[in-house]
Amino acid sequence: MRKKSDFVLRFCLILGDAVALILSFAMAYFVRVHVDPRPYVFESQLLDFTMTIVFLVPIMLVILVALGLYKKSIFLGRSRFPERMRLVLAAVLSVAALIVYDFFVGENLFPVRVMAVTAVGLCFVFLLIERIIVRLFIRQVFKSDYGVKRVVIVGNHKNTEYLADYITSTPECGYRLAGIVANRRYIPRDLKTHQYSSLKDALKRARADVIFQTDEKSTEYVYKQAVLRHLLYYFVPSETALSSHFGELELVGNTPAVLVMATPLTGGYAVIKRTFDILFSLVAIIVTAIPMMIVWLVLKLTDFKHSPIYKDDRLTQYNRKFKCYKFRSMKSKYSGLTAEEAFIKMGKPELIKKYRKNGDYMKNDPRITTVGKFIRKTSLDELPQLFNILKGDISLIGPRALLPGELRDYGDRSLLLTVKSGLTGFAQVSGRRDISFEERRALDIYYVRNWSLALDLSIFFKTIAVVFRREGAK
């Protein structure tokens, strides 16, 4: 829960904002039609009007994301002024966006000008009230110590003392002090018991989720430790470094800290990606239900003893194991065995080198059934993973899901596991099995470091083309 607390926070905010926006426009309609005594010409009924607004809510939420209203430092910061000013701008831009939409589509959303003005005011008021409610709820949750992130502060700097004091005195900030690696003179007197002699010792014993570094000593080592353990890493810059910072700048109390991200796929973008995954998987499961039933039935008829669905241990975000669902394409006697174990069992150990040298692929692989060859060729064997996407085990797009035993072959394994594994990905649409193991790994790492919505859309459409052309499917 601690690693997902930021995601849950932003999800609650987005859901609350969506409800607030819908209610504000519905109230604007009600006020104009039932309260304002002046005559009007308005053909749309309240339900029809509200459903149109529901359909257009994503446009308004994108505006809120663009204005930074889902940044933790804005939402939980001590000053409410920046958030309120952005909410005013969000209300104006949201109504303006709907007016532009109405102009081109001609749905006559605001036949009376005063209704648009009323909607602006109500949007601001409803968003403000909703965020106060969510903030109170989140702070009570944090005060109960549920979902808070455990912090280790590293560095001999005055900011070490300030951060330690702020975190311990502000339980609603979402952090708990787990350890301090610094000289005793930089540690508050009542927090001396939190001191550790080394970062390695602190991370081993403190069960940390976040590292704050307040000096510039051994930054590469400290950052590497954060990446290896899938921890958030904040660097508190000096005044000279502040003007040229990289990463996302946040205020922790009154101290600016730079969140150095292993991937851009964080915060509101993670919520957007997860929302798309849920919607896509639901639609895809409905559309492919009949093909999946046919494949399941054929596999069951050809092998009564074993389940048509094969479940295999794979790794996803933060090195978490999950059961990956696939239609069984391999002969049951080789299921669950590594390639080495299977080829030795069939008495053909000479195939091991050929299989590995060819990028974990072999034409006419003797382990694959006749039906298995067909469903692999058509990618039908991957369809059960739609349920993995719906459950949140994996995403539609991401690095290839690793087998636990493959970790030793990945020099950047921790970096690859900073995001969810994917049903498809950059490597798959760049050649699937036609490129080497090293090239696939490099492409997956590129995806993690350079993620963007545009890159995901590009991979999505390329995947459709690749599947229909059967490129690389073997």
Side-chain angles (χ1 to χ4, degrees), residues 1 4-21 57 61 64-65 69-71 75-76 83 126-142 146-147 267-268 270-272 274-275 278:
M1 172 61 189
K4 293 185 177 181
S5 60
D6 285 352
F7 178 89
V8 174
L9 167 63
R10 288 182 172 93
F11 180 80
C12 290
L13 266 180
I14 288 176
L15 183 62
D17 286 346
V19 173
L21 288 166
V57 157
L61 291 178
L64 268 67
V65 171
L69 281 162
Y70 297 110
K71 290 183 177 180
F75 180 67
L76 292 178
E83 182 186 41
F126 275 67
L127 286 170
L128 186 62
I129 294 173
E130 167 263 326
R131 283 174 166 252
I132 291 173
I133 295 171
V134 173
R135 189 177 295 112
L136 290 172
F137 171 75
I138 292 296
R139 284 180 174 173
Q140 288 303 312
V141 170
F142 284 162
Y146 185 74
V271 176
I272 293 172
R274 177 63 184 140
T275 302
I278 293 173

Side-chain angles (χ1 to χ4, degrees), residues 13 62 68 83 86 120 138 143 151 180 198 214 220 303 325 340 366 463:
L13 266 180
V62 168
E83 182 186 41
R86 296 185 193 204
V120 171
I138 292 296
K143 284 183 178 180
V151 173
I180 304 175
S198 68
T214 61
E220 184 177 350
D303 187 353
Y325 306 139
E340 287 79 4
T463 298

Side-chain angles (χ1 to χ4, degrees), residues 15 56 70 82 87 99 119 130 162 190 246 305 410 416 423:
L15 183 62
L56 296 174
Y70 297 110
L87 286 177
I99 292 174
E130 167 263 326
Y162 170 78
D190 58 337
F246 56 96
K305 294 182 179 180
Y410 278 79
L416 286 171
L423 174 61

Side-chain angles (χ1 to χ4, degrees), residues 142-157:
F142 284 162
K143 284 183 178 180
S144 68
D145 212 37
Y146 185 74
V148 297
K149 292 184 174 66
R150 295 174 60 84
V151 173
V152 168
I153 304 174
V154 182
N156 296 314
H157 193 278

Side-chain angles (χ1 to χ4, degrees), residues 264-288:
L265 183 51
T266 59
Y269 291 123
V271 176
I272 293 172
K273 187 174 174 70
R274 177 63 184 140
T275 302
F276 176 80
D277 283 341
I278 293 173
L279 295 176
F280 173 83
S281 58
L282 282 172
V283 172
I285 287 170
I286 294 171
V287 171
T288 62

Side-chain angles (χ1 to χ4, degrees), residues 285 288 292 295-296 299 308-310 323-328 379-391 394 423:
I285 287 170
T288 62
M292 281 197 283
V295 173
W296 187 94
L299 291 173
I309 302 295
Y310 175 65
K323 293 292 184 181
C324 181
Y325 306 139
K326 298 183 80 172
F327 279 124
R328 189 182 296 276
S379 299
L380 291 172
D381 62 319
E382 310 280 358
L383 289 180
Q385 289 182 63
L386 292 171
F387 293 96
N388 286 124
I389 297 175
L390 184 61
K391 287 172 59 182
I394 62 174
L423 174 61

